Amino acid sequence: MRNHFARFFAPIQHGVSTSNGSEILIHHIQLLLDRHPDWVVLKTDVRNAFNSISRRAIAERLSANFPSLMPHFRRMYGHSGSLVFATDSEHVILSSEEGVHQGDPLGPFLFAVGIHDLVSRVQAKHPEAVVLAYLDDVFIIGPESVSADAFDQLKSLFGAIHLVVADYKCETFARRSASSDLQLPRRSDGTVILGSPIGNEAFVSEKCLLYASQGKELCDKITTLEDPQCALLLLRHCHATRLNHLGRTISSTALHSAASLHDDLSKSTFMSSLLLSHLSDDQWLQASLPIRLGGFGVPLLSPILDAAFLAGWSHTSQALPDLFPSLWSVDDFPFVGSSVRCSLEFALRRFQESLCSSTSESSIASVSDLPSAGDKLQHQLKSVIDQVRVNSVFSAAPDNRGLSRLRSCQGKYAGRWLEALPSSRMLALKPCDFCLAASLRLGDPLPFAACVTSCNCGSAIDRSGYHLLTCKTGAGPVWAHNCVVSGWADCVRDAGLACKVEPRHEYLNNDNRPDIVAFGTGTGECFELDISLAHPWSSEASRRSASEDGAAASIREEKKISKYESYQRSSGLTSTFIPIVAEHFGRWGELAQNFLQSLGRFDERSEGRSKKHVFLCYWRRRLSVLLQYCNSNVIDYP
């Protein structure tokens, strides 16, 4: 129904089925004020709107415009419901007879349907003004006298469907002060539209700084968590993205200080959560990269300000001529208002300057290209920015070991342990294990070397953890290998295959005995799996690992295949041999990835089981967590 909804509500209602509706509305108001400096913006506020709107009014408008949805409405709202209001000492049952239910996916749509005819009537009676809505937030932009008449009509119409407009919460904004009969709060420096401030630069900057500083309370609470795995997830998903919407509506000059404060809070919270006493600029740059590029997925706002601002106006310039052909034409973009054009040219120039030392190219050469840039401009520009930042991280690598670590961390699914929700023991890491795994990914010197200087084999312990992970005489690597074997055996069984771990009777040759033999009971297929862990710094891979992605895993796969092929030919075996190789920094070999992908098809054929994508998502994360668990425990073994 999305396209049907969009056609019905256009061009007034932007809160239902409108892509980037809030930013289109905000930019539209800015353009209207640029074209008509003497106009006012009148913001309305309805008291308890979603719980108060008349269900009879919704039913009448729904029946007339979307009759196919009436059965849903009757089932959800054809009777009163019960709401519980509870205190420590008592609770009260309230009868819910009006409004839409919280949690109903169609609730916002039903509310918008209920008011749409009324808002449209206000617009039709006052063509000199522009009426815009985002669900229950209705904005009237126009000459002050016209806006006042439209406001009075709106209050009267809303009262008929049980909606009360709270005058004391409404507000007018006008760039030019003038006398007014409206008994409403009035501002001339700026106002906030859907969470985004507009007005003079001082007002906008002050509001943005306030929003950024409000994140400190959340960050302080995150740092009190004892579990860094939970803390990092909350940092990435609850704090780091808080101000992203402002980037698409506010120029980078006005948002710069707030973005810097916001990013500083992200950095300090990241360090506190992972117990890092020091974090170099290069390490923080790596941490802020997407997980797929070897980072920790803690997004920074400052690097994307210009790209977001350009993308926001690009989308608006494509949408407004279609929504309001009587107000805007394609020839108006770019761009109505010299202030808007200056801000866009400044943002584009800064963005292009950031690429001057890179081979990356932008799809936008001038502001004139914005209206035809497409819907995914921000994604395209951010990809270019990310590549520049990745190049900076690689350029700062101190040696080949640093380069090979970064390449391994960028491997497909290598960072899935950072995405795992610790909802079960199999997906959770202990705080000490998580922090140690994070130090390995960052290339941070490990803390144990101050008290333990030598391995059980007598060799010196390096602070990178390399010796402990690869020591051929220590028990740690053997234990880690067995743990990974056990994890893959569970994965194979979960896919519905029968398997044996280290079969002894069938394979008398110990040098060529696979770690796991799996059988497809319904297909008759047989797989021999040999599990091994490879380090990019090992002597066999160190030369190639610094310049070739996945070199350590690839070399180990080739050696294992060569070894087992000769044995299979001599023994007459017809099973499929697959070497399962993992690099210690997280990258899995290509053959391991392909085999896990193929296990998904077995799982999909099993009745009553999860679908393929759920199976793959779970096991990619579980095996990634298992590998980091093994690394941290082997390193902590001394």
Side-chain angles (χ1 to χ4, degrees):
M1 300 290 288
R2 178 184 175 89
N3 292 334
H4 194 14
F5 290 170
R7 288 192 298 270
F8 175 75
F9 287 117
I12 295 176
Q13 178 61 255
H14 293 258
V16 179
S17 298
T18 303
S19 178
N20 301 315
S22 60
E23 70 190 43
I24 292 175
L25 187 148
I26 293 166
H27 287 321
H28 192 188
I29 292 176
Q30 290 175 313
L31 288 177
L32 288 171
L33 293 179
D34 281 346
R35 176 179 281 185
H36 306 282
D38 56 330
W39 281 16
V40 300
V41 179
L42 198 157
K43 297 164 48 181
T44 67
D45 193 291
V46 179
R47 185 185 305 156
N48 198 24
F50 280 81
N51 291 321
S52 302
I53 187 170
S54 166
R55 291 182 183 174
R56 180 183 294 275
I58 295 176
E60 291 174 354
R61 290 159 177 79
L62 193 67
S63 176
N65 298 288
F66 299 96
S68 63
L69 295 179
M70 282 302 296
H72 166 82
F73 182 80
R74 292 193 189 98
R75 181 170 181 81
M76 293 289 291
Y77 300 97
H79 52 82
S80 62
S82 297
L83 303 177
V84 181
F85 176 79
T87 65
D88 293 338
S89 57
E90 61 177 348
H91 69 272
V92 179
I93 304 297
L94 304 177
S95 178
S96 173
E97 300 175 3
E98 299 288 11
V100 296
H101 294 314
Q102 294 186 31
D104 179 7
L106 281 183
F109 159 75
L110 293 174
F111 178 88
V113 165
I115 70 170
H116 185 65
D117 286 353
L118 308 184
V119 179
S120 298
R121 284 165 63 182
V122 174
Q123 176 66 89
K125 188 175 180 181
H126 301 87
E128 306 92 338
V130 177
V131 180
L132 303 172
Y134 194 93
L135 297 178
D136 60 322
D137 293 314
V138 180
F139 304 90
I140 303 171
I141 309 97
E144 187 143 353
S145 58
V146 177
S147 298
D149 290 341
F151 179 62
D152 290 339
Q153 183 189 11
L154 184 71
K155 288 202 300 183
S156 176
L157 293 174
F158 272 13
I161 59 172
H162 306 170
L163 295 179
V164 178
V165 177
D167 286 8
Y168 69 95
K169 297 177 70 176
C170 299
E171 182 180 279
T172 60
F173 165 63
R175 291 178 175 176
R176 297 178 181 176
S177 1
S179 58
S180 171
D181 296 332
L182 283 169
Q183 301 300 313
L184 300 175
R186 186 182 184 89
R187 299 192 65 101
S188 59
D189 54 346
T191 188
V192 177
I193 306 292
L194 301 178
S196 181
I198 66 172
N200 62 51
E201 189 165 324
F203 173 85
V204 173
S205 298
E206 181 182 350
K207 280 293 183 182
C208 291
L209 274 172
L210 175 63
Y211 296 156
S213 62
Q214 289 171 347
K216 187 176 186 306
E217 182 180 0
L218 172 61
C219 289
D220 289 343
K221 291 181 178 180
I222 290 176
T223 57
T224 62
L225 295 174
E226 296 181 357
D227 186 350
Q229 189 173 2
C230 291
L232 188 57
L233 287 168
L234 290 173
L235 172 63
R236 284 170 42 211
H237 296 292
C238 297
H239 169 73
T241 57
R242 279 182 64 248
L243 304 185
N244 281 6
H245 67 288
L246 296 179
R248 293 178 67 90
T249 56
I250 297 175
S251 67
S252 56
T253 53
L255 191 54
H256 175 73
S257 298
S260 297
L261 174 59
H262 176 78
D263 293 343
D264 288 343
L265 285 172
S266 294
K267 181 179 180 180
S268 61
T269 306
F270 179 81
M271 293 177 63
S272 298
S273 299
L274 297 181
L275 304 179
L276 298 171
S277 58
H278 173 74
L279 192 68
S280 69
D281 292 341
D282 296 329
Q283 288 176 322
W284 175 233
L285 182 57
Q286 180 192 348
S288 66
L289 290 174
I291 292 175
R292 61 181 175 81
L293 296 179
F296 284 75
V298 182
L300 299 183
L301 182 58
S302 296
I304 66 167
L305 289 181
D306 298 309
F309 188 63
L310 292 168
W313 275 105
S314 172
H315 190 87
T316 299
S317 66
Q318 298 170 51
L320 287 184
D322 292 335
L323 292 172
F324 299 92
S326 62
L327 292 175
W328 309 105
S329 67
V330 176
D331 296 335
D332 290 323
F333 299 94
F335 263 98
V336 177
S338 59
S339 61
V340 173
R341 186 178 183 91
C342 289
S343 297
L344 289 171
E345 288 177 343
F346 179 76
L348 181 59
R349 185 166 62 252
R350 277 171 44 104
F351 175 76
Q352 291 171 338
E353 288 172 354
S354 68
L355 307 182
C356 63
S357 59
S358 169
T359 57
S360 302
E361 294 184 1
S362 168
S363 57
I364 302 297
S366 69
V367 172
S368 302
D369 297 331
L370 290 177
S372 58
D375 294 336
K376 297 185 178 180
L377 178 61
Q378 184 169 345
H379 177 76
Q380 297 169 9
L381 298 183
K382 186 178 181 300
S383 297
V384 175
I385 294 170
D386 286 340
Q387 190 55 55
V388 172
R389 297 169 72 229
V390 167
N391 294 341
S392 298
V393 171
F394 272 81
S395 299
D399 50 29
N400 285 341
R401 285 191 166 191
L403 291 172
S404 59
R405 170 181 59 82
L406 292 170
R407 288 189 180 278
S408 187
C409 290
Q410 285 186 353
K412 204 171 185 180
Y413 316 128
R416 286 300 173 92
W417 60 282
L418 292 168
E419 300 173 348
L421 298 174
S423 54
S424 69
R425 184 174 62 86
M426 297 300 181
L427 294 176
L429 287 166
K430 295 179 180 178
C432 56
D433 294 340
F434 191 89
C435 290
L436 201 152
S439 294
L440 277 177
R441 189 171 177 87
L442 286 170
D444 203 38
L446 303 177
F448 60 79
C451 54
V452 180
T453 58
S454 61
C455 176
N456 292 337
C457 70
S459 301
I461 293 179
D462 59 296
R463 294 194 66 182
S464 66
Y466 169 67
H467 175 77
L468 291 174
L469 290 172
T470 58
C471 178
K472 296 186 181 302
T473 61
V478 175
W479 170 84
H481 170 268
N482 293 338
C483 280
V484 176
V485 169
S486 177
W488 272 95
D490 290 341
C491 176
V492 168
R493 294 189 186 100
D494 194 38
L497 278 71
C499 76
K500 290 184 178 180
V501 177
E502 294 191 357
R504 297 183 180 275
H505 299 293
E506 297 89 337
Y507 298 84
L508 300 179
N509 186 334
N510 289 337
D511 292 335
N512 293 285
R513 187 173 68 237
D515 294 305
I516 299 173
V517 178
F519 307 92
T521 54
T523 63
E525 296 177 81
C526 179
F527 304 96
E528 293 180 306
L529 310 181
D530 185 272
I531 315 293
S532 61
L533 303 179
H535 204 292
W537 299 352
S538 62
S539 58
E540 64 179 4
S542 58
R543 290 185 179 181
R544 288 172 52 184
S545 292
S547 58
E548 181 182 330
D549 293 339
S554 178
I555 291 172
R556 185 67 61 85
E557 286 175 345
E558 292 169 1
K559 292 181 68 173
K560 291 290 185 179
I561 290 174
S562 176
K563 176 182 176 181
Y564 271 84
E565 274 185 347
S566 58
Y567 173 70
Q568 286 183 311
R569 283 195 298 269
S570 62
S571 60
L573 295 175
T574 58
S575 56
T576 303
F577 172 72
I578 302 172
I580 305 293
V581 184
E583 296 181 0
H584 282 285
F585 290 114
R587 177 189 287 269
W588 289 91
E590 186 174 351
L591 296 179
Q593 297 175 30
N594 294 341
F595 179 67
L596 183 59
Q597 184 78 20
S598 71
L599 287 180
R601 65 185 172 90
F602 287 98
D603 178 78
E604 196 168 26
R605 281 200 298 263
S606 303
E607 292 185 6
R609 299 190 56 81
S610 60
K611 293 299 181 182
K612 178 178 179 179
H613 69 280
V614 178
F615 171 87
L616 293 175
C617 181
Y618 172 76
W619 278 104
R620 284 166 182 161
R621 292 180 179 180
R622 179 169 166 181
L623 292 171
S624 183
V625 168
L626 176 63
L627 181 59
Q628 299 306 318
Y629 167 77
C630 292
N631 285 343
S632 58
N633 279 271
V634 168
I635 290 175
D636 200 38
Y637 178 71

